[in-house]
Amino acid sequence: MDDLSSVNRKLGHTLVALHAFDLVARFGNLSGAAEALGVTQSAISQKIKGLEAELGVTLFRREHRGVSLTNEGLRLLNVVRPAMSQMGGSVASLLERKSRPRVRISADFSFSTFWLLPQLSDLREELGDEIEIQILASQAPPEKGSEDWDIKIHVQSFSTIGKGDVALLRERVAAVCSPRFLAENGPIASSQALLDHQLLSLSKPPSAHWQTWQGWFEGLGISGERSKNYISFNNYDMVTQSAIAGNGVALGWLGLVDGLIQQNLLVQATEDVVVSNAGYVMSRDHSSTRRGPKLVFDWIEQRAANPAARRAVSAAQL
């Protein structure tokens, strides 16, 4: 442990000298390294001499027009240069991120795929490239107190909407399937009859609030046993793909799957639509003075209020 501590202290002490060493080797002289670091040539010479004394080896041969690496110097360079390049790249990336505002949007997979994704090009076009957009898709909303998001869009009860939150989309859910499935298994006389058909289900985490088949049937006053077990998925993209492939009937959130219905990839299996007192709610920290989250928040709110302007997801995007 004492040896390790000694190495760590020496490494911390010699890191600046190692940077100087890498630059001298890169330029082949002390003056180039000194100019790159904004110090005097004498300061660079002292760093190199100190590093050689610390390591107990000669790293450079002093020549008439510069320096050249010794075998020991070349051996050290083969280790130091990749590390310096990696550190330099990481620091440059962090500095670029600091100079370019970043907005992290936490949303579930359904909203991310079927609402946000088709709007990204318009968002970029209108707000420009000055803001870095990150979409953090997850089935469950962030835990309370989490700071890993700037804008949060998840399903919740409208009765729990907080001050400054925006209700983007009320939950309106229909039973949907592919035209082929309906042709082969229909007509489906009523939603009650769906209990005898293959149902495709989205697995629901305890903290999520979206509609399930059980809640959908209860909303219509339908009870009874299913004749077939669910085919369940943990991702709504897979649910819709399975429905499009003709594997069964899925719940379709109107306002999200409209594009797939317009393209005749999905159709309503029955006429019933269950409307709940929940839906997609958008939140952000309104006390924040950061410009990026406010711009994106306001843009999404305006786009949600104007359905005619929204782009729908296409089959190629799934």
Side-chain angles (χ1 to χ4, degrees):
M1 182 63 70
D2 290 340
D3 291 342
L4 181 60
S5 298
S6 176
V7 169
N8 287 335
R9 285 194 297 271
K10 288 182 178 179
L11 183 59
H13 179 70
T14 59
L15 189 57
V16 175
L18 287 171
H19 188 201
F21 162 75
D22 177 45
L23 289 175
V24 172
R26 191 182 299 275
F27 287 101
N29 56 63
L30 300 180
S31 58
E35 184 177 351
L37 287 177
V39 298
T40 64
Q41 184 172 327
S42 174
I44 293 294
S45 178
Q46 290 176 5
K47 290 292 183 187
I48 297 301
K49 289 179 180 177
L51 182 61
E52 289 177 327
E54 183 76 28
L55 299 178
V57 296
T58 300
L59 299 173
F60 292 103
R61 286 185 292 268
R62 278 64 175 176
E63 299 177 346
H64 179 62
R65 294 194 174 185
V67 295
S68 62
L69 288 164
T70 63
N71 288 337
E72 290 81 1
L74 183 59
R75 180 183 174 189
L76 180 62
L77 182 67
N78 289 335
V79 175
V80 169
R81 177 153 294 170
M84 288 295 173
S85 297
Q86 186 175 1
M87 285 190 290
S90 297
V91 170
S93 176
L94 291 172
L95 290 173
E96 181 182 3
R97 180 177 296 179
K98 179 181 178 182
S99 64
R100 176 177 295 184
R102 178 184 61 170
V103 177
R104 301 162 300 173
I105 305 174
S106 170
D108 68 21
F109 286 105
S110 305
F111 195 87
S112 298
T113 299
F114 294 96
W115 201 101
L116 277 177
L117 189 61
Q119 318 309 320
L120 281 182
S121 59
D122 288 349
L123 175 61
R124 276 275 180 236
E125 183 177 343
E126 294 184 31
L127 297 187
D129 196 40
E130 64 174 284
I131 299 175
E132 177 186 346
I133 303 294
Q134 290 186 357
I135 297 178
L136 311 175
S138 64
Q139 289 297 78
E143 294 182 3
K144 190 174 182 179
S146 170
E147 297 181 354
D148 295 333
W149 56 275
D150 300 302
I151 295 173
K152 179 175 66 174
I153 305 173
H154 285 271
V155 175
Q156 70 179 69
S157 170
F158 283 174
S159 64
T160 63
I161 292 179
K163 183 179 179 181
D165 293 351
V166 175
L168 296 178
L169 186 67
R170 181 176 288 276
E171 192 175 50
R172 300 170 55 247
V173 185
V176 296
C177 62
S178 70
R180 178 167 64 86
F181 181 91
L182 190 60
E184 293 175 353
N185 297 275
I188 300 175
S190 67
S191 294
Q192 176 81 41
L194 289 173
L195 292 170
D196 295 323
H197 291 276
Q198 181 62 65
L199 302 181
L200 309 175
S201 174
L202 175 63
S203 300
K204 180 180 178 180
S207 58
H209 298 280
W210 62 71
Q211 189 69 268
T212 63
W213 273 113
Q214 180 180 352
W216 192 82
F217 283 124
E218 288 177 353
L220 296 173
I222 295 173
S223 60
E225 295 294 324
R226 289 176 283 107
S227 62
K228 299 180 180 180
N229 288 326
Y230 293 126
I231 298 178
S232 297
F233 303 87
N234 66 353
N235 187 303
Y236 192 61
D237 298 358
M238 298 171 67
V239 175
T240 55
Q241 286 284 16
S242 186
I244 290 171
N247 294 326
V249 183
L251 291 177
W253 275 257
L254 303 183
L256 296 184
V257 299
D258 302 42
L260 301 180
I261 293 175
Q262 292 166 7
Q263 297 170 67
N264 203 38
L265 295 171
L266 293 175
V267 295
Q268 283 191 221
T270 69
E271 295 182 354
D272 290 321
V273 175
V274 173
V275 181
S276 75
N277 190 41
Y280 283 99
V281 175
M282 179 170 62
S283 310
R284 77 175 182 90
D285 180 5
H286 288 274
S287 67
S288 172
T289 58
R290 292 174 55 210
R291 179 168 170 265
K294 183 180 186 308
L295 285 174
V296 176
F297 186 95
D298 291 346
W299 188 92
I300 293 175
E301 181 181 9
Q302 293 169 10
R303 180 56 61 100
N306 184 15
R310 291 204 302 266
R311 295 178 185 269
V313 71
S314 66
Q317 290 176 301
L318 296 178

